[in-house]
Amino acid sequence: MTPIDWKGVFPAVTTKLNADFTLDVDAIKAGLERLIEAGVGGVVMMGMVGENAQLSPEEKRTVLRTAKEAVRGRVPIVSGLAETSTEKAVAFAKEAEKMGVDGLMVFPGLTYKSDTYETVEFYKTVARASGLAILLYNNPRGYGVDLTRDVIAQLLEEKTIVAIKEESYETHRITDLISRFGDRLAVVCGVDNLIVESAALGVTCWVSGMANATPKAAVELLKLLVAGDFGKARRLYAALDPLFLLDTVVKLVQHIKLAENIASGTAETVKPPRLNLVGEERDHTIAITKKTLADLKSLEY
């Protein structure tokens, strides 16, 4: 297993699309270059924000090949793993390892709410399929499966399971996990508008959706928080918080892609059944994004 230093901002990278919903490989590469230039600690390809569940197997392979070509070893590449069966998950883990990615962010099995026994068996089986470092994805709101500390204790019997993206919205869990598992488990913030609280409790890594739109500001914010400079961090966070709130709603992918479009010019196209924002909802996101960018400019970020 190649160790990953779970520190810094790991953007949940958007998957750039053409108007006909095909992959825009050049835009994916340019987007990754922009993130690396901003100082991110790593990249997470094809998470929820990367529309994993809407991509075909060949499209997933193309995204990973593209990321490898663009990143060139400068930061770790973590691939989302989101499949409807253990068989498919195992196959993807093996293929991702052959393609040379550094880690996997593993979703629970999609479309099925597994019980504890099934959840543990699923994750352990996937872990044994490759030697890649595994970031557990705990999002009980989104997927109905909750990786509690007792479940995690069983999962840590597998040495490649090394980190958890904590997205339960219960910040007290951070202290609980750090106290119980120490350095054995890296606890990663998975909710943009909980990064201040998470960092105050000891988190040093953040998988962020809105970092696609404001990567430099996100990197600076986490640096300030980890350094304990909460005065400056709060001022920066106050500018970012209205935008970060859009990472917590059902249409987060559409909001993030639209915000990234305004910030960098990339297409806001999403894959159906998702549809681009329209009407007042779209106008609201545009207004928030433009104000955030203006506020950041006044703060010189």
Side-chain angles (χ1 to χ4, degrees):
M1 178 177 63
T2 301
I4 293 175
D5 189 10
W6 299 101
K7 293 180 181 177
V9 178
F10 281 50
V13 181
T14 55
T15 300
K16 279 70 173 177
L17 303 172
N18 295 305
D20 62 357
F21 310 117
T22 57
L23 297 177
D24 188 338
V25 171
D26 290 340
I28 293 171
K29 290 181 178 179
L32 286 166
E33 191 64 36
R34 174 172 171 264
L35 296 174
I36 292 171
E37 288 178 356
V40 302
V43 292
V44 179
M45 309 304 298
M46 300 185 299
M48 180 193 292
V49 173
E51 298 173 84
N52 188 309
Q54 283 68 52
L55 300 177
S56 71
E58 181 53 38
E59 286 175 325
K60 292 180 183 183
R61 288 189 286 270
T62 299
V63 169
L64 293 186
R65 282 194 297 267
T66 301
K68 285 289 292 182
E69 292 171 6
V71 172
R72 303 191 306 278
R74 289 175 289 174
V75 298
I77 298 172
V78 179
S79 173
L81 186 160
E83 301 291 344
T84 56
S85 72
T86 303
E87 179 183 19
K88 291 179 180 178
V90 164
F92 184 88
K94 291 179 177 179
E95 189 163 18
E97 184 175 35
K98 289 179 181 177
M99 296 184 74
V101 304
D102 301 287
L104 299 169
M105 182 176 76
V106 183
F107 291 59
L110 300 185
T111 74
Y112 177 66
K113 184 178 178 181
S114 55
D115 66 17
T116 297
Y117 171 68
E118 292 170 321
T119 299
V120 170
E121 286 302 305
F122 170 78
Y123 273 107
K124 284 188 172 185
T125 302
V126 174
R128 293 166 186 158
S130 80
L132 296 176
I134 289 180
L135 170 69
L136 302 171
Y137 183 18
N138 189 39
N139 183 355
R141 287 189 183 186
Y143 299 102
V145 175
D146 193 359
L147 301 181
T148 65
R149 65 176 188 171
D150 290 337
V151 172
I152 294 167
Q154 295 181 65
L155 296 180
L156 292 184
E157 293 171 4
E158 300 297 328
K159 65 180 181 179
T160 55
I161 296 177
V162 295
I164 183 168
K165 181 189 177 190
E166 175 49 42
E167 201 168 332
S168 67
Y169 292 81
E170 299 175 6
T171 52
H172 70 272
R173 292 198 189 196
I174 294 170
T175 298
D176 193 25
L177 294 174
I178 293 174
S179 297
R180 180 161 179 178
F181 302 116
D183 293 338
R184 176 64 184 84
L185 181 73
V187 181
V188 177
C189 177
V191 183
D192 282 358
N193 72 340
L194 290 180
I195 184 55
V196 175
E197 296 91 330
S198 298
L201 294 172
V203 166
T204 60
C205 184
W206 171 24
V207 174
S208 169
M210 274 300 174
N212 287 283
T214 58
K216 290 182 179 179
V219 168
E220 180 64 17
L221 176 60
L222 186 56
K223 285 182 179 178
L224 290 171
L225 291 168
V226 171
D229 193 343
F230 285 90
K232 288 184 179 179
R234 282 193 294 267
R235 288 192 291 274
L236 179 54
Y237 180 69
L240 291 165
D241 183 53
L243 190 64
F244 284 179
L245 184 61
L246 297 175
D247 177 66
T248 68
V249 298
V250 172
K251 293 185 181 179
L252 76 162
V253 178
Q254 291 95 316
H255 292 298
I256 290 168
K257 279 196 162 182
L258 178 54
E260 188 180 13
N261 165 264
I262 295 167
S264 69
T266 57
E268 64 183 280
T269 307
V270 291
K271 273 213 174 204
R274 289 186 177 92
L275 298 174
N276 289 3
L277 299 176
V278 296
E280 292 183 6
E281 192 173 32
R282 188 172 190 276
D283 292 342
H284 180 65
T285 297
I286 291 172
I288 287 175
T289 304
K290 288 184 175 180
K291 184 177 187 308
T292 298
L293 295 176
D295 290 345
L296 290 176
K297 187 175 182 179
S298 70
L299 292 171
E300 299 184 351
Y301 288 104

